[in-house]
Structures are given as C-alpha cells and as structure tokens.
Amino acid sequence: MFNAEPSVKALVPFVSVHNMMRLVHHIGIETVLSELTDAIEADFRRWPMFDKTPRIASHSRDGVIELMPTSDGVVYGFKYVNGHPKNTAEGLQTVTAFGLLADVATGYPVLLTEMTLLTALRTAATSAMAARYLAPAGARCMAMIGNGAQAEFQALAMKAVCGIDSVRLYDIDPQATEKTRRNLEGSGLTVVACTSGEAAIEGAGIVTTCTADKQFATILTDNMIGTGVHINAIGGDCPGKTELHRDILRRADTFVEFPPQTRIEGEIQQMEADYPVIELWRVVNGEVPGRRDARQVTLFDSVGFAIEDFSALRYVRDWVAGTDFQQSLDMIADPDDPRDLFGMLQRAH
Amino acid sequence: MFNAEPSVKALVPFVSVHNMMRLVHHIGIETVLSELTDAIEADFRRWPMFDKTPRIASHSRDGVIELMPTSDGVVYGFKYVNGHPKNTAEGLQTVTAFGLLADVATGYPVLLTEMTLLTALRTAATSAMAARYLAPAGARCMAMIGNGAQAEFQALAMKAVCGIDSVRLYDIDPQATEKTRRNLEGSGLTVVACTSGEAAIEGAGIVTTCTADKQFATILTDNMIGTGVHINAIGGDCPGKTELHRDILRRADTFVEFPPQTRIEGEIQQMEADYPVIELWRVVNGEVPGRRDARQVTLFDSVGFAIEDFSALRYVRDWVAGTDFQQSLDMIADPDDPRDLFGMLQRAH
C-alpha cells in the first residue's frame, strides 16, 4: 500500500479505527460482546499460565499513561492507554488506546490495532463475565451511574451475556444521560433516565458505577445498597480515584482481577492492606464459589487487567486474518541478510 | 489516506521503514549520527528531569521483549524492542523495534515510528557521545568486534563525532566481517579485516564489542587490553549475556547509563552489587570527570536506556513535522462528542 516494497516480514497487520468499526458491525455488537466475554473467560480459566505485572503507569498532573504487557509464553501482548479526565472539556477522549500482539518465539509484531473501541468492548465484556458468576439469579434490571463513553457498552454486554432487559441511567450531567438513552433506543432494552443515583438503583440487581473524576468520590453510600445486589465498580481505577464509600466494602464480598494492581488502583485502595479479596479467576475455574446466596452483596472491583486486552487482541487477530479489515504497515526493517541492516539502508539511496 | 474520514485528532503521524530510510538519506547518515549525538547529550545533561525505570522485560527461552518508557513531564515516549539472537538463523532480525511519542497533557500519541533503524542509529550515537568524554585524546583507530547489524553505524558515528579514521574488524563469522568491510567502502574510513580479536585491537584507542550470543561470553580478556584504551561494550545487555572477562572490570573505570538497569543487564552483572560505577550523565553535565589520564582504562557498559530513544524520537518528530516523511494513521477513535464513543460506532454502520 505504500511506495516502498518491503518484504512480507516487514509488514505488520494493522486495524484502524475505521476498520474496527466495520468489523464490529460485520459481526454484530452483541455478538462481539458475547464472544469477547467467552474469550476473556477462557483466558481467566488459564490465569496461572500468564506473565503478570501491575501495569507501568506514568502519572502527571492531569492524567496517566500506562503500558499493560502480558504473555502466555506463545503470544505477547501489550496495550498503551491513557486516562485524562479533563480531556473531555477540550473535546478529546478521556481514554484512548492502541495495542500490539507479537510472536514470543521471534519478537516480531503480528498485529497493531486501535484499542479505544476495543477497550470499551473488553471492559464491558469483563464486567459481564464477572456478573455471570456474581449477579443475583434472575436479575433483569441494572443501574448505570456515570453515562460516559463506557455506558452503552456496559448495558449491551449485560443484555447479551446476562439477560438484562432494563437499564436505569444516572449522571450528574443530564446531557450524558440523554446521549446514552438516545443511543440505546432500538437496542431492545427498556431505558429509564433518572435524576439521582438513589432513583437509578431502585430495583436494580446489578449496579454499575463508571464515573471519571480523578478523585476520591462517593458515588454510592452504604445505605443505598440493598441486600443481594451485585456492584460492578468500573470507575475507581487509579490511585486517588474511587467511587464507593468504604462502608460498602466492609459489607461486600469483593472480587478482583490481579490483587497487587487492584490494591494500588481499585476501590480497595481505601482499605487496609489485608482487606480480604477473592481473585475472579479462581471463581471462573471453579476453585472458589462466586455468589453463594441471595442476600450477599458482591462487588467486582474492576480496574482492567492486561490479560483482558490480550484476549481481545487475539480475538481481533483471529477475525481479521486474511481479510480487508486489516492493512499492512511497513513498520519492521527486514533486510534480506538480517545482519545487513546498514546495507539495506545504503541500497535504499 | 484510508477510506474513512477520521477527525484530525484521530490521526497519528507515522514514519515507516521506507520513510525512515528516505529521511536518513535526505539528511545524510553522518549528519544524522552527529545530530543524534547532540540530542542525546542534551537530554543526558537534564537527566534528573526524566521519569526513569528499568525497562519492563518479558523473557522467554529464545529471547526477550521489552518496553522502555520515559517522560520529561511534557512528552512521553516508549519503545517496543525485542532481542532474539537465534532469529538470524531464520532470516529474521535479532533486534526489531518501534516507538511512540505522546503528549503528557492529553495522553494522545503524536508520533509512531519504526525504530529498528532508529535504534541502530541512536545506539551508535550514544556510544559516540560516551567516547567524546572517555576515549583517549587523539584516538584515530577503533576495533569493532562483532560485525553484525550495529557495526557500520558504530564506525560511522565514531568517525563523525570523534574523528576516528580507521576501523579494525573481527567477527567469528568472516562473512560478517566481509559484509561490514564492503558496506564501509567509500565511507572515508580505512577498514582492516582481522582474523582474531587480538589482531583487531592492535593500536586501537577505542575497542567496541557488539556480539549477540545470549550467554556469558569472553570476547575480551584482561591481557588484551592495554593502558589508556576506551572499551565501548554494547553486546552485554541482558541477564546472562556478557562479553568481558571480570578482570577487565576490576581494572577499568566503568561508566553506565542507569545503574539499576545496568546492574541487571550490563557487564557489571558479573560483579558484586557495590561495584563502583560512574553515571555518564554526571560526566556530561560536568559534575564528575570523564577520562582523567592517558593510562586509565575506561569502560562504557552500555545497555541502552529509554532516554536515548526519547531523544531519537523527538529528533525524528522535529524533522518529519509537516513533511511527506510521515503518513497519517487512523489509530485514535475520536468522536465529535468525546463521551459519545458508542454513537460514533453506531453512526459508522
């Protein structure tokens, strides 16, 4: 596609934002969310096989830039992702991302892709996977507090995977709620716009919080949470950024992705270092129970972990291989004689 | 350039391998090496301003994949780089790389570029910068042991920056030496192909080692190193991979980039944890002397550090801005209303 003629090894398959959107529509968004949920669940089941490290964060006054690598010994993946709550005011995304897969045996990249959309999809799929094990039986109604970029994805994943049929929305900005309501028209979900968090959680078996302020906030207080509810807390995901009152954490059974990362970034950063948590992967592989009874308050303290991105990257790679959803990017210098990098440069003159 | 029409914010400037080669020829390779040396030196001078962390390595049986991030508080950069010594046998590069710059204030990427060539250039420039402070006065001859992909870049950087006029080559594979000799024809350097390491170092004021085996090797022994020589050790750059006998380390004054990383990855991994080292940036900013006398053996135990890549990325960004050396990559999803990521997806149907 470019004016050079690099060798095939030099070409890295690339999925642009445009092609990611085409791919999602080609498959169907609810199917993508269901299939991603299954892909993530399959990788949670083999959790011990992965290299795991807390993500590498570079914090600044207005936000954070993170690298999230992992590997299963065969494939290596990482995501670049930022989080800048003030971006919205300047017309920019709070979160943007891209990701890469590489072959562990050679170190050569095998996929580069946009991941802003893919992160929204995998975050919703991870929430749905957790809810599959933790939500109260027969839950049909969810509350969605925080109606930003993640809201519709959450609602559709809970519909596709857990059978949710109605969503109660609340955001401090009514325009955000209206945006979400409008986008979910025709989705088959009953959508109710509420004017307070208290109103939104009425009758909801799943309460999802996804707000973006980089501060200790109290989106939910203990008196708002009835018995048997599953709380899906998405927004508390970096140091100094939480959404729940600590009294909720004292009462709930808390499930997490990777404890060393969640203790730094999750809701549980408010708690003592030995606050008990249950690793979600142990629930998925059957080692420990998820929801045990109808009165239990469960909390998925979600911060997002590299393995979820890895699952999503592999899902995309499998879908785009050999299709025009991918383009070829001349990103890897690959001389005929691998020791002759200089000769390749010289001959290009 | 693609069939979508994403917003300007969604487009990330991309420098392909082809365009990197065009750019280097446009500027002139020796000029690139000199200017990169100055760019890296300027960043070493303000070393304390940078976020520094040992690179994040994912080791496997045949190699390593690394992420190397840093930031000066205004710009964030990282490099993806692999090191797979066995790749050569399969016709693949030992080292491939790409890198990214982002705006710290927004987290938005501002440059994606190939870095296989750029890493070769910046590694040579870093060696030349160190030699500027450490090589014996009036050195005109260098030995180059290990004639792989880095060899010609090293020779030309030492010529352009330090005034080297002759290079003595040795590699266990004579074809590698012949490749390097041929590539340096017409460079203005006197090139001598040697049949042993001992022969190569004869009369050389600068001895550069750059071999690729992932093992503890002994490319140089103590009796090979005369007084006053500067050793530029490039190849020992990951755990279990060294090139020098430890007796050389006992005798030399050793200069390093970032001690926490070099103690893991460099020649000094062979030594006790309190083996004395001098941080090169303190030499560059005038805090401590480099070479003190004509009889001193100096060693630059180079492993490569993120700040060097950062300097190189900024150098490329400044050169390609507004030119056709860059292309636009549709990598960042950027809806008109930043909270309406789902709406952007929906409207793309």
Side-chain angles (χ1 to χ4, degrees), chain B residues 88-137:
Chain B
T88 311
E90 295 160 42
L92 300 174
Q93 285 280 295
T94 299
V95 173
T96 67
F98 71 91
L100 181 107
L101 280 182
D103 176 18
V104 167
T106 65
Y108 271 50
V110 297
L111 179 73
L112 177 74
T113 176
E114 89 80 34
M115 280 193 84
T116 307
L117 280 160
L118 192 58
T119 296
L121 292 160
R122 79 85 160 122
T123 300
T126 303
S127 290
M129 185 197 71
R132 190 135 80 178
Y133 293 92
L134 303 176

Side-chain angles (χ1 to χ4, degrees), chain A residues 1-5 9-10 14-22 24-26 29 51 53 56-60 62-71 73 76 78 80 82 84 87-98 100-109 112-117 120-121 147-150 152-153 156 171 173 175-176 179 182-185 327 329-349, chain B residues 1-5 9-10 14-22 24-26 29 51 53 56-60 62-71 73 76 78 80 82 84 87-98 100-109 112-117 120-121 147-150 152-153 156 171 173 175-176 179 182-185 327 329-349:
Chain A
M1 61 175 285
F2 299 134
N3 45 351
E5 288 179 26
K9 292 170 203 151
F14 168 64
V15 181
S16 67
V17 176
H18 174 73
N19 278 329
M20 184 63 76
M21 295 195 291
R22 281 181 60 216
V24 171
H25 288 301
H26 174 76
I29 183 162
D51 270 356
T53 175
I56 302 96
S58 177
H59 292 277
S60 56
D62 293 331
V64 62
I65 295 175
E66 298 171 331
L67 298 174
M68 302 171 66
T70 192
S71 166
Y76 170 94
F78 84 89
Y80 168 101
N82 76 300
H84 285 69
N87 270 5
T88 312
E90 294 160 43
L92 301 173
Q93 284 280 295
T94 298
V95 173
T96 67
F98 71 92
L100 182 108
L101 281 181
D103 176 19
V104 167
T106 65
Y108 271 49
L112 177 74
T113 177
E114 89 80 33
M115 281 193 84
T116 307
L117 280 159
L121 292 160
N147 301 154
Q150 174 66 200
E152 299 90 341
F153 297 94
L156 290 181
D171 195 289
D173 178 356
Q175 290 186 314
K179 175 262 326 178
R182 195 174 55 238
N183 283 341
L184 291 174
E185 271 176 12
Q327 300 164 294
L329 214 57
D330 166 31
M331 195 165 82
I332 301 300
D334 193 71
D336 297 335
D337 172 356
R339 290 170 312 190
D340 199 9
L341 187 64
F342 186 85
M344 183 183 86
L345 171 63
Q346 210 169 31
R347 287 186 292 275
H349 199 20
Chain B
M1 62 175 285
F2 299 133
N3 46 351
E5 288 178 26
K9 292 169 203 151
F14 169 64
V15 180
S16 68
V17 176
H18 173 73
N19 278 329
M20 184 65 77
M21 294 195 292
R22 280 181 61 216
V24 171
H25 288 301
H26 174 75
I29 183 162
D51 270 356
T53 175
I56 301 96
S58 177
H59 292 278
S60 56
D62 293 331
V64 63
I65 295 176
E66 297 171 331
L67 299 174
M68 301 170 68
T70 192
S71 166
Y76 169 95
F78 84 88
Y80 168 102
N82 75 301
H84 285 70
N87 271 5
T88 311
E90 295 160 42
L92 300 174
Q93 285 280 295
T94 299
V95 173
T96 67
F98 71 91
L100 181 107
L101 280 182
D103 176 18
V104 167
T106 65
Y108 271 50
L112 177 74
T113 176
E114 89 80 34
M115 280 193 84
T116 307
L117 280 160
L121 292 160
N147 302 153
Q150 174 65 199
E152 299 90 341
F153 297 94
L156 290 181
D171 195 288
D173 178 357
Q175 291 186 317
K179 175 263 326 178
R182 195 173 56 238
N183 284 340
L184 290 174
E185 273 177 7
Q327 300 163 294
L329 215 57
D330 166 30
M331 195 165 82
I332 300 300
D334 192 71
D336 297 333
D337 172 356
R339 291 169 310 189
D340 199 10
L341 187 63
F342 186 85
M344 183 183 86
L345 172 61
Q346 210 169 31
R347 286 186 291 276
H349 200 20

Side-chain angles (χ1 to χ4, degrees), chain B residues 10-11 51 75 123 125-126 144 158 166 187 211 235 247 249 259 268 284 338:
Chain B
L11 298 177
D51 270 356
V75 179
T123 300
T126 303
M144 183 74 227
M158 292 296 184
S166 69
S187 68
T211 61
D247 286 351
L249 296 166
I268 62 171
V284 172

